[in-house]
Amino acid sequence: MRVAIAGGGIAGLTSAIALVARGFTVTLYERAPVLEEVGAGIQLSPNATTVLARLGVLPHLAQATIEPEAIEIRDASRGARLGIVPLGPAARQRYGAPYCLIHRSDLQAGLLAAVRESKAINLHLGLKVGAVRADDNGVIFDAGGTEQHADLLIAADGVRSAIRQKFFAHPGPQPVGRTAWRATLATADVPQTIRRDITGLWLGPGGHLVHYPVRAGASLNVVVIASATGDTPPPNPFGREARALIDVVPSWIPWPLFGVDASKPWTRGRVALIGDAAHAMPPTAAQGGAQAIEDAWVIAAALASQPDDPAAALRAYQRARLGRVLRIVREAERNLAVYNMHGIAAATRNIVLGAMSPERLIRRLDWLYGWKPE
Ligand SMILES: Cc1cc2nc3c(=O)[nH]c(=O)nc-3n(C[C@H](O)[C@H](O)[C@H](O)COP(=O)(O)OP(=O)(O)OC[C@H]3O[C@@H](n4cnc5c(N)ncnc54)[C@H](O)[C@@H]3O)c2cc1C
């Protein structure tokens, strides 16, 4: 079977690797002439690393990753510690896979190395997938001005997916109402008061701050998310301790956040949406990339179990994924609201969090992090 993939982000690269592991031949089209990632980090929870381990990619990332001891939740205005979610060895023991922090370019380099090593993947950079037509026998699409044929097409073309909008006729991405300001900082420039062995999550009215080490501890990834716009994050709601970090960041990448309606169909005949093209969500569960990685495993498994009926296999992929992904989208949206509460609601949240033991806080994530392929 000839499988075509549009898009070489986390979803496209991981799908290609998962498909060749099942014996398929893949052609991957990426519109960018050079694969580059935004200069920022990504958290890979155990549900994602378990897939990367099974695909043989995780060992190649080991030099570049770091496993945080915990997620430390703090009040952004006052600095008070609200809760601890134990990770590190506790996550490995609980889920049989690590919780990893990595720079996006290191993750991409690891995935790309696996793609380039495989003779069954044809990678075409600088070729944009355009108009798509499909019937019961196959898919015909434009790639950089030439007509291409495949038995099926996986659209991994991100939150602004043209295939989602044109071939599926789904609405375009919707603003989340928040901007993320992203930066990385040399660890030597990080104030001593900021821990470098954890993921820090500072909650405040209308905005929050996340930081964690990347590049095996050489840099700190810093993200401020707030309901504002501009080149730099707003001063509020951050108090002295959070500001000590925000103020030493020399430059920010502002990133308006968008999501898509994940409840719309992900498959139409022999064409399927995957990753952000299917279900872009707010980053407040740190799951967009992880869900793209889960998708990649499941779509490859579905096609391997029904290679003679690709359309049925793609429908099986959506059936297997939809309930879980919609639950995660709701969780991300709920987290966004809870992280940014004001007044009495925020005070109540802080009391509730403060009363929860580390064991209870991690147990609440078992359904999410404990997912296993098949
Ligand atoms: C601030 C922030 C923090 C985040 N933190 C986390 C986190 O900690 N953990 C986590 O799991 N997720 C996180 N995410 C989400 C995660 O980054 C995304 O879900 C993930 O990158 C989506 O990958 P993708 O491959 O689906 O899409 P993309 O990364 O957008 O890749 C799409 C690719 O398709 C290409 N393309 C587009 N159109 C075409 C075309 N027509 N033809 C060919 N190629 C095309 C693009 O050039 C691009 O390379 C975060 C997101 C943000 C914004």
Side-chain angles (χ1 to χ4, degrees):
M1 189 191 311
R2 296 162 306 160
V3 182
I5 300 176
I10 296 172
L13 294 173
T14 313
S15 306
I17 298 164
L19 284 159
V20 297
R22 303 269 180 180
F24 295 101
T25 302
V26 175
T27 307
L28 195 157
Y29 301 88
E30 164 58 48
R31 70 177 171 190
V34 179
L35 272 181
E36 281 170 337
E37 263 292 358
V38 61
I42 186 161
Q43 309 192 67
L44 293 175
S45 48
N47 47 312
T49 59
T50 198
V51 173
L52 296 177
R54 290 218 198 163
L55 294 176
V57 175
L58 196 60
H60 300 292
L61 304 178
Q63 301 274 27
T65 56
I66 185 160
E67 293 176 40
E69 277 301 303
I71 300 171
E72 188 181 67
I73 309 168
R74 297 178 69 167
D75 182 305
S77 318
R78 294 181 296 111
R81 194 161 97 173
L82 303 174
I84 280 276
V85 184
L87 298 173
R92 271 185 183 267
Q93 201 178 357
R94 199 170 185 104
Y95 305 117
Y99 190 104
C100 291
L101 309 172
I102 188 167
H103 195 279
R104 282 170 186 262
S105 54
D106 293 331
L107 172 61
Q108 185 183 62
L111 293 170
L112 202 52
V115 163
R116 289 198 197 279
E117 260 169 36
S118 169
K119 291 193 171 40
I121 304 176
N122 297 307
L123 173 63
H124 294 291
L125 296 178
L127 283 191
K128 181 175 172 181
V129 173
V132 176
R133 285 181 288 133
D135 61 21
D136 291 347
N137 301 314
V139 186
I140 302 171
F141 56 94
D142 176 84
T146 62
E147 191 175 274
Q148 303 292 334
H149 296 249
D151 294 310
L152 68 102
L153 174 67
I154 296 177
D157 51 345
V159 60
R160 295 178 194 282
S161 170
I163 299 172
R164 176 185 173 88
Q165 287 180 63
K166 292 192 180 139
F167 182 76
F168 285 79
H170 291 348
Q174 297 300 310
V176 167
R178 300 286 197 287
T179 304
W181 288 267
R182 308 163 99 174
T184 48
L185 202 58
T187 302
D189 297 334
V190 175
Q192 287 303 324
T193 47
I194 298 294
R195 282 183 69 180
R196 300 108 195 266
D197 58 341
I198 50 129
T199 290
L201 170 61
W202 305 61
L203 312 182
H208 61 280
L209 161 71
V210 180
H211 58 80
Y212 50 83
V214 290
R215 299 246 194 250
S219 308
L220 194 79
N221 182 70
V222 187
V223 187
V224 173
I225 296 182
S227 40
T229 53
D231 292 340
T232 53
N236 291 323
F238 306 104
R240 187 176 47 83
E241 288 179 70
R243 283 236 71 89
L245 174 61
I246 293 170
D247 288 347
V248 292
V249 172
S251 69
W252 295 94
I253 308 170
W255 199 274
L257 296 175
F258 288 87
V260 300
D261 180 355
S263 67
K264 297 271 180 217
W266 300 359
T267 74
R268 187 179 147 201
R270 289 170 174 246
V271 182
L273 300 169
I274 187 169
D276 273 13
H279 48 64
M281 62 185 83
T284 33
Q287 282 297 312
Q291 292 312 301
I293 291 169
E294 289 186 14
D295 286 348
W297 179 279
V298 173
I299 204 166
L303 286 163
S305 67
Q306 265 175 297
D308 299 331
D309 192 345
L314 295 182
R315 286 195 300 276
Y317 145 74
Q318 167 163 339
R319 269 199 310 279
R321 298 290 300 140
L322 189 62
R324 173 169 169 81
V325 167
L326 290 180
R327 184 176 177 193
I328 292 167
V329 171
R330 283 195 300 274
E331 178 80 3
E333 289 170 348
R334 200 179 59 97
N335 284 349
L336 184 62
V338 170
Y339 289 1
N340 294 168
M341 281 170 165
H342 293 250
I344 291 175
T348 310
R349 172 202 66 204
N350 292 356
I351 292 167
V352 170
L353 270 175
M356 289 170 93
S357 67
E359 164 59 25
R360 193 150 164 227
L361 282 169
I362 184 79
R363 203 189 317 137
R364 291 168 81 236
L365 293 164
D366 283 349
W367 67 274
L368 183 53
Y369 296 169
W371 181 88
K372 293 278 176 254
E374 269 130 47

